[in-house]
Amino acid sequence: MADEALRHAGPLLLVTLPLLVAAALAGLALVPRLRLPEAVRHGVVAATALATGIGVLALVPSVLASGSVEASVPALLGELRYRLDGVSALLAILASLVWCCSSLHAAAYFRGEPAPRALLYHVTSLVLFAAMLTVLIADDLVTLYLGFEWLGLVAYLFVVHTWSPAALAAGRKFLVLTLLGGFSVLAGVLLVYAMGGGDVAAGLPPEADGGLRLAAAVCLLLGFGVKAGALGLHTWLPDAHSAAPAPASALLSGVMIKAGAYGIVRVLGNLFRTDVEAASAVLLQAETLGLVVLWWGIATMLAGVVMALWQHQAKRLLAYSSVSQMGFILAGVGAAAYLGDRGGIGWAGSLLHVVNHGLFKALLFLGIGAVIVAAGSGDMRQLGGLARRMPWTFAFVLVGVAGIAGLPLLNGFVSKSVIHHALEYAMGQAQAGAQPHGLVLAERLFTLTTVGTAAALVKLLALTFLGSPRTSYERTPLEAPLAMRAAMAVLAAAVVLLGLRPQVTAPLLRTALDGWGLPSGEVTAWLSGPIGHAGDLSAALGALAVGTVVHLIAARTGLYARALPAWLSLDWLVAALYRVSHDGVVALRDALGAARARRAARRERAERARAARRERRARRRAASAGGAATGALGRDAPAPDEPAPAVHQRILQDVRYHLGTLLGTPGRRASDARPPAPRRRPSVLGLVAAARRGRRRSVVWWLRLERASIAASRSLVRAVQRAAARLDASWRLAREVGVGRIDEDEREQLVLETRSRIERHNRDVGLSMAVLVAVWLLVLASLSLVAP
Amino acid sequence: MNEPIVSWWPLATLVLPLLGAVACLGWPAGAAPGWRRPFILACGALTALVTFAFLPGVLRGDTLTLRLLQLTPQAWIEFRVDPAGVMYAATAAMLWFLALIYAFGYLHGPNLPRVFGALMACLAAAMGVAFAANLLSFFVFYELLSVLTYVLVVHEETPAALAAGLKYLGYVLVGGSLVLCGVLLTFAIGGDLTFVAGGVLPADAALVSLLITFACFALGFGVKAALMPLHGWVADAHPAAPAPCSALLSGVMVAAGSFGLVRVTFEVFGVQLLRDLGVMPWLGGLASVTVVLAAVLALGQDDLKRRLAYSTISQMGYVTLALSLLGPIATMGALVHIVHHAFMKGALFFCAGSFAYATGRRTMASLVGLARRTPVTSASFVLVTIGMVGIPPLSGFVSKWHLGLGMLESNAPYTLVVLLMGALLAAGYLLPVAIALYSDEPEPARQEGASEADVAERANAVEHRKSLFIPTAVAASMTIVLGLAASVGGLPTDVARLAAERFFGGG
């Protein structure tokens, strides 16, 4: 019973262990007496990863026996459910292994780092480990999303570890794209739940709406595609991976981007795989999506390798190579989904490649990290000749390069051959179905990419380790410390082991395929049979040979020195779009400004013309009245150098003038300290004159109504103003005088200030009151409509 | 639903804060002055406890009612304790309690009795808003809350604060009048003002009058709920008010407008009538624009409190948007979001206040590298930022999840885009602040005003002042509690589900 209970708590323990250790590390750091030595802390992190790996291994027999081990914890929206099955277990073992090695490597890499920063690195690393495991062993999509978001957000701390401007810029880009991807996944998850799904390992209900299915597929693929570095969404990856410290890059590139690939595997392998009988032909299915993903993968692998060839920074080269390798995985997944019931070999190939790439890419990043520590730079143009100084590191990197280039007897060869076979199957199926879809081309591009990969990695190896040093090193590069060598040795051993005996993964792969209901005999036979077919062998060796030749030609002819045209970069495109839109906005703003200036000029001209007309009229009238009324008219003429008042000021003046004529008081307010503003004859008065002349009753009544309403609102405003002013001034005075802070003069000043401040804002109140009156009129009208 | 029970307890939630207000304004001369603060705090705490005590009964399906006095021949001041009301009241009371503690540490000067009295009186008014059983009672307390808040806004009496106060007053008075118009129209059309699930307005009334009534309510409450063309006061009043008051302003008082919309939508008009009227898509459109536009505007603010104010406008847009969909899950999401947002925004304003206290200013540049001096406050800020973005397992995710599901349930997938865009922009305007807090380089801008030593001293004072950082940390940790334990009975998600079921006529 206890055994049973422990087994069911197992998946939970896997996730909580790293979190608990992280909390303990952070907590211990707060207490000065309990602060752990640096080496111990590294050891703790590595041991945690190792323990987790052993935990996964311990659960593997149960997984093999029953297909999966499940657990749940009541939290969030009900419960978070975990489920360890074949796929999850395979990737969880990979994650634990790489994490363990990377932590070991970090022990030497961060020597001399300030303590808080190293601590932050450890805590970050453990939280990310927990998040990664959560993604891998989540049973429902909410749990998966939880892990996925934290994986993205916390990885930001890895990217900006050095807080250098370049790292911060890379971090910003990383954060933006990761958040976009995360929200895209959230949208997809919401859509899946709205359709009635929600389990990671279950298919969508076949009766779900077609539009929603399409939307969910697009959202999920885009979201996971960001993490996986699929073409078009990959731009964060080279920046982030090269900005992070090397052990972190190994984790980012070796494990974390696999979360995206894992997501796509689940989308194509579980969510959108419907029973062929149950589904109607119109429904979007894994087959169609598979074709899309396959081509996306092909494009990614090709573009990635082309970019990798032109890099000078070793870490950037490796990062682009990661993009390319993710393309291999996506192509395999796509082919598998496209093949439907015969897709077992595709799934197996891409899962194997996830594991293999994790191993050798982590190995390469750790190796380059060792080089950077030893030589002080990762720029391949300034390295060279390190093989003699760092023989162990060279050997390990050599294993990694051979693995990624697909040399037989190493693991890359196995998975690439399997994926290649899946592609050939897909090609055959497409031709048999009389829909060739150009998959032949896909297969050719696949081969071309293999050549490119070989060339790029040979470049890395040759420029870094071979030949003679291109610059004199500041300090003599020394062999990597023991911790680094140990970490690399473990990974290199895994690379060799999986190349020589790939069948060790067969049981888990079989369980995974069983879980999908796919036959696994072919895959098992393939893995445990002799190493590759003759065709695969010759293809792999040929690719390596051609790749080496490509590198030699490129190095001799100076092709590497040429920069790729800037417009090939997506960043350039984004920047160009930004520039265009920015320029557009600026141009629009300028145009609007010019228009406003023109309008103002026109208004001023009109104003001047009107003033001149008024002047003429006044002169004429003065002439007719014998010059008796000049005093009254003087008020109407604008002061010569007074600027034209704004529209609302003029309206206010009009209103004031009305009130003045109505109430028989002068038009300026008592509190107005400034000289009277120039009055103009308001346009309404022209109407009055017209009405007087014509004695048109309606006009007169309208004007009376208008005056009355203006007067009413005006007096309301005044009352409020007066009250507010009194209240305000008294408060302020009481306070200021009360605390004896001001004398009499200042008080006077204060009163004036307060008044003018309130006047500045009375326009707001006036407008609100006018709105209020309008609303009341409206309500009265509607009440009269409603009333019986 | 069980028979209503007549109870005097709802009145206690008004009397207790009013007692506190009296104590603030005039403490008996002979009494021990040292007991004044504990007494006020106790009033706040007891109010919160009473609202929590309503929860078990409400979860059982009980309804407490109380007819207090007859205001007009047509309507009584009447209280009723229902799920939505309890949810709002408990949130308000708890945030108030935290804000009171914070205010004791934060506010200084000669006007303390005035502002604390207004605070307690506002709490009473908020309780009235939560428990009002009919439109007229609701309106009375709503207007009281609006007007009393003025005192909080102008507390500092700087020219900016006075100007903001005047603007605030202009806006809410117009809004309140519109609500009053709505109340009158409702009475004229329906002849009844009591809140009843399913609505009191007859479906066969004249279309024009129904539309005008709805417009009055939507615009009137829209002013308070910061619906976009009516949001002008928010961005001025929040920075002008002192930090604890901004927290309440943002968490509870803006939400009072949204709460009014909830009441009107489900208990005056009713879902069916609103569907027939077809006005909700318009409101939804406005709310969508609000969510996105306010978030974009927030991006460009250099004053942290202004940034947060725009964030409030954007977040409350979610609530209005979800209401406009008229679906049960969306409604539940809206109610939950009111609560979750209250605590998150409360915590953020507390943080902003502490930062301002530490540096003497509120610009982005002054925040750089502050985390070293204010670790707890900065960590709270980061935590709540992640919550606001909607990352599980924090509370922001829970409300966003229900909002999103509700949007899909109501066949409005386009609103999902609005939701996610709002969340992305929230990351855009909050994460840079968090990153700045933890950046290394102190900017020269900070040194020219206050000397580094001065800043250090004040900043250390922030973390040693318990009344400042304890409320901050508690409000921030609510983000975790309300998120991780979202499915536990009696917490907002559960109560909101009950309320939504009640509104939609289910059991």
Side-chain angles (χ1 to χ4, degrees), chain A residues 49-83:
Chain A
L50 192 65
T52 312
I54 292 172
V56 179
L57 282 177
L59 287 172
V60 162
S62 316
V63 172
L64 292 182
S66 57
S68 67
V69 182
E70 286 158 21
S72 69
V73 50
L76 208 61
L77 312 157
E79 52 180 16
L80 300 173
R81 283 180 288 133
Y82 295 96
R83 179 170 174 279

Short mmCIF file of all heavy atoms in Angstrom, two decimals, chain A residues 49-83:
data_model
loop_
_atom_site.label_atom_id
_atom_site.label_comp_id
_atom_site.label_asym_id
_atom_site.label_seq_id
_atom_site.Cartn_x
_atom_site.Cartn_y
_atom_site.Cartn_z
N ALA A 49 19.33 17.63 -9.09
CA ALA A 49 19.00 17.16 -10.44
C ALA A 49 19.23 15.65 -10.54
O ALA A 49 18.40 14.93 -11.11
CB ALA A 49 19.86 17.89 -11.46
N LEU A 50 20.32 15.20 -9.93
CA LEU A 50 20.62 13.76 -9.98
C LEU A 50 19.52 12.97 -9.27
O LEU A 50 19.01 11.97 -9.79
CB LEU A 50 21.97 13.52 -9.31
CG LEU A 50 22.57 12.14 -9.53
CD1 LEU A 50 22.89 11.95 -11.00
CD2 LEU A 50 23.82 11.95 -8.68
N ALA A 51 19.13 13.47 -8.08
CA ALA A 51 18.09 12.76 -7.32
C ALA A 51 16.80 12.70 -8.12
O ALA A 51 16.12 11.67 -8.15
CB ALA A 51 17.88 13.47 -5.99
N THR A 52 16.47 13.81 -8.77
CA THR A 52 15.25 13.82 -9.56
C THR A 52 15.34 12.80 -10.69
O THR A 52 14.39 12.07 -10.96
CB THR A 52 15.01 15.22 -10.14
OG1 THR A 52 15.17 16.15 -9.08
CG2 THR A 52 13.63 15.34 -10.71
N GLY A 53 16.53 12.78 -11.33
CA GLY A 53 16.72 11.81 -12.41
C GLY A 53 16.55 10.39 -11.90
O GLY A 53 15.87 9.56 -12.53
N ILE A 54 17.12 10.13 -10.74
CA ILE A 54 16.99 8.78 -10.17
C ILE A 54 15.52 8.50 -9.85
O ILE A 54 15.01 7.40 -10.06
CB ILE A 54 17.87 8.65 -8.92
CG1 ILE A 54 19.33 8.69 -9.35
CG2 ILE A 54 17.57 7.36 -8.17
CD1 ILE A 54 20.29 8.76 -8.19
N GLY A 55 14.83 9.55 -9.37
CA GLY A 55 13.41 9.40 -9.09
C GLY A 55 12.64 9.00 -10.33
O GLY A 55 11.79 8.10 -10.31
N VAL A 56 12.95 9.67 -11.45
CA VAL A 56 12.26 9.32 -12.70
C VAL A 56 12.57 7.87 -13.06
O VAL A 56 11.67 7.09 -13.42
CB VAL A 56 12.68 10.26 -13.84
CG1 VAL A 56 11.99 9.87 -15.12
CG2 VAL A 56 12.38 11.70 -13.49
N LEU A 57 13.87 7.52 -12.95
CA LEU A 57 14.25 6.14 -13.29
C LEU A 57 13.51 5.14 -12.43
O LEU A 57 13.09 4.08 -12.89
CB LEU A 57 15.76 5.97 -13.12
CG LEU A 57 16.60 6.55 -14.25
CD1 LEU A 57 18.07 6.38 -13.94
CD2 LEU A 57 16.25 5.86 -15.57
N ALA A 58 13.33 5.51 -11.13
CA ALA A 58 12.63 4.60 -10.24
C ALA A 58 11.19 4.42 -10.65
O ALA A 58 10.58 3.37 -10.39
CB ALA A 58 12.71 5.13 -8.81
N LEU A 59 10.63 5.46 -11.25
CA LEU A 59 9.22 5.35 -11.66
C LEU A 59 9.08 4.64 -13.00
O LEU A 59 7.98 4.25 -13.39
CB LEU A 59 8.60 6.75 -11.75
CG LEU A 59 8.32 7.41 -10.40
CD1 LEU A 59 7.90 8.85 -10.62
CD2 LEU A 59 7.25 6.65 -9.65
N VAL A 60 10.22 4.50 -13.75
CA VAL A 60 10.12 3.94 -15.09
C VAL A 60 9.50 2.54 -15.12
O VAL A 60 8.63 2.28 -15.96
CB VAL A 60 11.51 3.97 -15.78
CG1 VAL A 60 11.55 3.03 -16.97
CG2 VAL A 60 11.83 5.38 -16.22
N PRO A 61 9.86 1.64 -14.19
CA PRO A 61 9.22 0.32 -14.24
C PRO A 61 7.70 0.40 -14.18
O PRO A 61 7.00 -0.29 -14.94
CB PRO A 61 9.79 -0.39 -13.01
CG PRO A 61 11.08 0.28 -12.76
CD PRO A 61 10.93 1.69 -13.20
N SER A 62 7.19 1.28 -13.30
CA SER A 62 5.73 1.42 -13.23
C SER A 62 5.18 1.93 -14.54
O SER A 62 4.12 1.50 -15.02
CB SER A 62 5.34 2.38 -12.11
OG SER A 62 6.08 2.11 -10.96
N VAL A 63 5.91 2.89 -15.13
CA VAL A 63 5.44 3.45 -16.40
C VAL A 63 5.41 2.36 -17.45
O VAL A 63 4.44 2.22 -18.21
CB VAL A 63 6.36 4.60 -16.84
CG1 VAL A 63 6.01 5.06 -18.24
CG2 VAL A 63 6.29 5.75 -15.86
N LEU A 64 6.48 1.56 -17.48
CA LEU A 64 6.53 0.50 -18.49
C LEU A 64 5.41 -0.50 -18.26
O LEU A 64 4.82 -1.03 -19.21
CB LEU A 64 7.89 -0.21 -18.43
CG LEU A 64 9.08 0.63 -18.87
CD1 LEU A 64 10.35 -0.20 -18.80
CD2 LEU A 64 8.88 1.19 -20.26
N ALA A 65 5.10 -0.74 -16.99
CA ALA A 65 4.09 -1.75 -16.69
C ALA A 65 2.69 -1.26 -17.03
O ALA A 65 1.90 -1.97 -17.65
CB ALA A 65 4.19 -2.14 -15.22
N SER A 66 2.37 -0.03 -16.63
CA SER A 66 0.97 0.38 -16.77
C SER A 66 0.78 1.53 -17.74
O SER A 66 -0.31 2.06 -17.87
CB SER A 66 0.42 0.77 -15.39
OG SER A 66 1.23 1.79 -14.84
N GLY A 67 1.86 1.93 -18.42
CA GLY A 67 1.69 3.00 -19.41
C GLY A 67 1.89 4.38 -18.83
O GLY A 67 2.41 5.25 -19.49
N SER A 68 1.46 4.60 -17.59
CA SER A 68 1.64 5.93 -17.00
C SER A 68 1.46 5.87 -15.50
O SER A 68 0.86 4.94 -14.97
CB SER A 68 0.63 6.92 -17.58
OG SER A 68 -0.66 6.55 -17.19
N VAL A 69 2.02 6.86 -14.82
CA VAL A 69 1.82 7.03 -13.38
C VAL A 69 1.20 8.39 -13.17
O VAL A 69 1.67 9.38 -13.75
CB VAL A 69 3.17 6.97 -12.63
CG1 VAL A 69 2.94 7.10 -11.14
CG2 VAL A 69 3.88 5.68 -12.94
N GLU A 70 0.13 8.45 -12.37
CA GLU A 70 -0.58 9.72 -12.25
C GLU A 70 -0.59 10.22 -10.81
O GLU A 70 -0.47 9.44 -9.87
CB GLU A 70 -2.02 9.56 -12.76
CG GLU A 70 -2.06 9.48 -14.26
CD GLU A 70 -3.30 8.81 -14.78
OE1 GLU A 70 -4.28 8.76 -14.02
OE2 GLU A 70 -3.28 8.34 -15.92
N ALA A 71 -0.73 11.51 -10.68
CA ALA A 71 -0.83 12.13 -9.35
C ALA A 71 -1.59 13.43 -9.53
O ALA A 71 -1.73 13.94 -10.64
CB ALA A 71 0.55 12.40 -8.78
N SER A 72 -2.10 13.95 -8.43
CA SER A 72 -2.77 15.24 -8.54
C SER A 72 -2.67 15.97 -7.22
O SER A 72 -2.47 15.36 -6.17
CB SER A 72 -4.24 15.07 -8.93
OG SER A 72 -4.94 14.50 -7.86
N VAL A 73 -2.78 17.28 -7.29
CA VAL A 73 -2.73 18.09 -6.08
C VAL A 73 -3.85 19.13 -6.20
O VAL A 73 -4.02 19.74 -7.26
CB VAL A 73 -1.34 18.73 -5.91
CG1 VAL A 73 -0.90 19.43 -7.15
CG2 VAL A 73 -1.34 19.68 -4.74
N PRO A 74 -4.66 19.27 -5.17
CA PRO A 74 -5.75 20.24 -5.28
C PRO A 74 -5.21 21.66 -5.18
O PRO A 74 -4.70 22.07 -4.15
CB PRO A 74 -6.65 19.91 -4.09
CG PRO A 74 -5.75 19.26 -3.11
CD PRO A 74 -4.68 18.57 -3.88
N ALA A 75 -5.28 22.39 -6.26
CA ALA A 75 -4.83 23.78 -6.26
C ALA A 75 -5.39 24.46 -7.51
O ALA A 75 -5.90 23.80 -8.41
CB ALA A 75 -3.30 23.85 -6.28
N LEU A 76 -5.26 25.75 -7.53
CA LEU A 76 -5.68 26.57 -8.65
C LEU A 76 -7.14 26.30 -9.00
O LEU A 76 -8.00 26.42 -8.15
CB LEU A 76 -4.74 26.35 -9.83
CG LEU A 76 -4.60 27.52 -10.79
CD1 LEU A 76 -4.05 28.72 -10.08
CD2 LEU A 76 -3.69 27.16 -11.95
N LEU A 77 -7.44 25.89 -10.23
CA LEU A 77 -8.84 25.78 -10.66
C LEU A 77 -9.39 24.40 -10.38
O LEU A 77 -9.93 23.77 -11.28
CB LEU A 77 -8.94 26.04 -12.16
CG LEU A 77 -8.21 27.25 -12.70
CD1 LEU A 77 -7.92 27.07 -14.16
CD2 LEU A 77 -9.07 28.46 -12.49
N GLY A 78 -9.21 23.87 -9.20
CA GLY A 78 -9.66 22.51 -8.96
C GLY A 78 -8.47 21.70 -8.55
O GLY A 78 -8.12 21.64 -7.40
N GLU A 79 -7.81 21.09 -9.55
CA GLU A 79 -6.59 20.39 -9.18
C GLU A 79 -5.59 20.44 -10.32
O GLU A 79 -5.96 20.58 -11.49
CB GLU A 79 -6.89 18.94 -8.80
CG GLU A 79 -7.69 18.19 -9.84
CD GLU A 79 -7.95 16.76 -9.41
OE1 GLU A 79 -7.77 16.47 -8.22
OE2 GLU A 79 -8.32 15.94 -10.27
N LEU A 80 -4.32 20.34 -9.95
CA LEU A 80 -3.27 20.21 -10.94
C LEU A 80 -2.96 18.73 -11.05
O LEU A 80 -2.71 18.07 -10.05
CB LEU A 80 -2.02 20.98 -10.48
CG LEU A 80 -2.19 22.47 -10.26
CD1 LEU A 80 -0.92 23.06 -9.66
CD2 LEU A 80 -2.49 23.18 -11.57
N ARG A 81 -3.01 18.23 -12.27
CA ARG A 81 -2.81 16.79 -12.44
C ARG A 81 -1.49 16.51 -13.15
O ARG A 81 -1.10 17.23 -14.07
CB ARG A 81 -3.98 16.20 -13.23
CG ARG A 81 -5.22 16.04 -12.36
CD ARG A 81 -6.36 15.45 -13.14
NE ARG A 81 -6.90 16.42 -14.07
CZ ARG A 81 -7.17 16.16 -15.35
NH1 ARG A 81 -6.93 14.95 -15.83
NH2 ARG A 81 -7.66 17.07 -16.13
N TYR A 82 -0.84 15.49 -12.67
CA TYR A 82 0.45 15.10 -13.26
C TYR A 82 0.35 13.67 -13.76
O TYR A 82 -0.39 12.84 -13.21
CB TYR A 82 1.57 15.21 -12.21
CG TYR A 82 1.80 16.61 -11.75
CD1 TYR A 82 1.21 17.09 -10.59
CD2 TYR A 82 2.59 17.46 -12.49
CE1 TYR A 82 1.41 18.39 -10.18
CE2 TYR A 82 2.80 18.76 -12.08
CZ TYR A 82 2.21 19.22 -10.92
OH TYR A 82 2.42 20.50 -10.53
N ARG A 83 1.12 13.41 -14.79
CA ARG A 83 1.05 12.08 -15.38
C ARG A 83 2.36 11.82 -16.09
O ARG A 83 2.76 12.57 -16.98
CB ARG A 83 -0.10 12.05 -16.38
CG ARG A 83 -0.30 10.75 -17.09
CD ARG A 83 -1.62 10.85 -17.85
NE ARG A 83 -1.85 9.72 -18.69
CZ ARG A 83 -1.31 9.57 -19.89
NH1 ARG A 83 -0.51 10.48 -20.37
NH2 ARG A 83 -1.58 8.49 -20.61
#
